[in-house]
Amino acid sequence: MITDRLARALDDRLRLSPVTRRALAKVFPDHWSFMLGEIALYSFVALILTGVYLTFFFDASSADRVYHGDWAPLDGATTSAAYASTVRLSWDVRAGLLVRQTHHWAALVFVAAIVLHLARIFFTGAFRKPRELNWLIGVTMLTLALANGFTGYSLPDDLVSGVGLRIITSVVESIPVAGAWLAALALGGEFPSDEMIPRMYVTHVLLVPAVLVALVSLHLGILVRQKHTQFPGPGRTEHNVVGSTLWPSYTLRTLALFAWVLAVLFALGGLVQINPVWIYGPFEPAQATSPAQPDWYVAWGDGALRLFPPLEFRIAGHLVPAPFFPGVVLGGLTFLALYAWPFAERLRTKDHRQHHLLDRPRDHPARLAVGVVALTFYAVLTVAAGDDILARLLGVPVYDLLSVFQVLVLVLPLLAGLLAFLVARALRRGDAAGIGELTRADLRRAAPGSDGEDPSGASDIPARDRPGERIEMWPEGELWRWRYRDEARHIVITANRAVRSEEEAVSASRLAYPGVDRVVVPGPPPPPPPGPIRVALRRWGRAAAAGSLLLAALVDRRRDRRRQERERTDRASPPEPSDETTTGAGRT
């Protein structure tokens, strides 16, 4: 009763019911991959909840403190306030270790979900117009998540995180001219400074989370405004969304996912140990831990520093140190490429249309190959960051393992990208419904210039899930045409409108016939040139048509003139007296 009255009172003043009805009727796709973004969102919520709890007990200070607590090896030792409060959180605060480890696991899952979400968007083409802005927002959130994760990892002031902070400081200092100034500005002096922990704390708990909250809100607002993308399928077009409405289906599903994310994160925090800082000890500038490995989302940078050769040179008298290229240039070029990719692909394809239907990764082998090359490259760098751990486990010299990784980081991404390219072409042009059904013949036909493929790209093998059906596309000058062919029923339907590019032909055919494979063919032969009799008949026919039109125009003009003369004659002659006037005059 009270709730109903409150709702009616708010609606009378704010008129929320129309907005609420439209919001509850919004449709969300049912595909599982769309939940990756929600996993990132719910992990962020878990980060905020656990982070608020941790702020009650963490002391963000470099001042000396004497630890007295349950961790006996450190009892009575003098450490920094940050390290002492972290150990106290882990051993003396009720549920402190559970919340701290859950916070750490939530950070790992948060970054992983963002990466997987961006990969799904990249491979399916969801970054295309009109969603370029949301892609830029997503890449920015990934950058901020990496930065915030690293600052949170460095706050406990333990030996492992201190060595990592020393490494990143050296990378910043390797920037010519401005590096030392930037590092001093961020840390408040030379490393290690008394201001670095308080500054990282403010950045970690206030600045970056506030920007992330703003970007998440903007991201969701744009998503609601532009509607969801969806995979092609029966009844799905560029102008609708097929799936579940917000209430009640999608709401129940997303709440269940939220509960599962929290349950898994707290289970990891309670059962799987992570970052045991009391074992590492407090940070001392003269000490370092080995073997040690950072969290996975920054391990690629450590791996790049280990694998890159010690190349140094001078420009205009300024030294360019060895960490500059693997630490600054590599990461900068990577994120610059991510920001520029939607616009670079649009420039290459000349596709300026809006897209609400997603691509299958197999439909764009080149895009798939580029993504696989990048992911494999960074995966090798991430594994290489633990070369000392692998060397100890395998019992081999670490420098031999380093040489192997230096070869793998150059060769393995190219091989993986080539394999992904061939598999995508084979799936697109062959008869296999999935990767497990591919054969060597399919891969040979997918190779460029192979004997099994027409030079123009034609393929006569229909899709297995739609036997005998295919979409055939061909260039016609600067335009593209396409037709639907069903060999079983002997049906050929040619589109009545040419389009400007192959991408537009693919989009139009997918909209009309979803689920049917597309191939490029030479196209129908041009019609034979007309003979002399046909040319003469055409000319005489055109002349007769022109003469008929001219004669009709002359007849209409003469008829108009006669009508005008008749009207002038009628106006000039006086009117004749009527019978009533004559009779009246006689009577008079």
Side-chain angles (χ1 to χ4, degrees), residues 573-586:
S573 59
E576 296 180 0
S578 61
D579 295 340
E580 294 181 357
T581 305
T582 305
T583 305

Side-chain angles (χ1 to χ4, degrees), residues 306-321:
R306 300 188 186 201
L307 299 185
F308 198 82
L311 177 63
E312 294 184 350
F313 56 91
R314 291 184 177 271
I315 297 179
H318 296 283
L319 176 65
V320 180

Side-chain angles (χ1 to χ4, degrees), residues 369-425:
V370 170
V372 170
V373 167
L375 292 177
T376 306
F377 177 76
Y378 282 101
V380 174
L381 291 181
T382 301
V383 177
D387 57 356
D388 48 354
I389 299 177
L390 292 175
R392 171 177 289 188
L393 294 176
L394 300 177
V396 297
V398 67
Y399 286 103
D400 293 345
L401 199 59
L402 184 65
S403 300
V404 172
F405 277 117
Q406 287 176 334
V407 175
L408 289 178
V409 77
L410 298 176
V411 175
L412 192 59
L414 297 179
L415 294 179
L418 178 60
L419 180 61
F421 181 80
L422 294 178
V423 169
R425 286 171 63 95

Side-chain angles (χ1 to χ4, degrees), residues 179-189 199:
W181 178 80
L182 290 174
L185 179 64
L187 300 179
R199 292 193 179 191

Side-chain angles (χ1 to χ4, degrees), residues 283-322:
F283 173 63
E284 295 291 342
Q287 298 180 3
T289 54
S290 181
Q293 188 176 17
D295 284 336
W296 73 268
Y297 53 85
V298 291
W300 60 270
D302 194 3
L305 291 171
R306 300 188 186 201
L307 299 185
F308 198 82
L311 177 63
E312 294 184 350
F313 56 91
R314 291 184 177 271
I315 297 179
H318 296 283
L319 176 65
V320 180

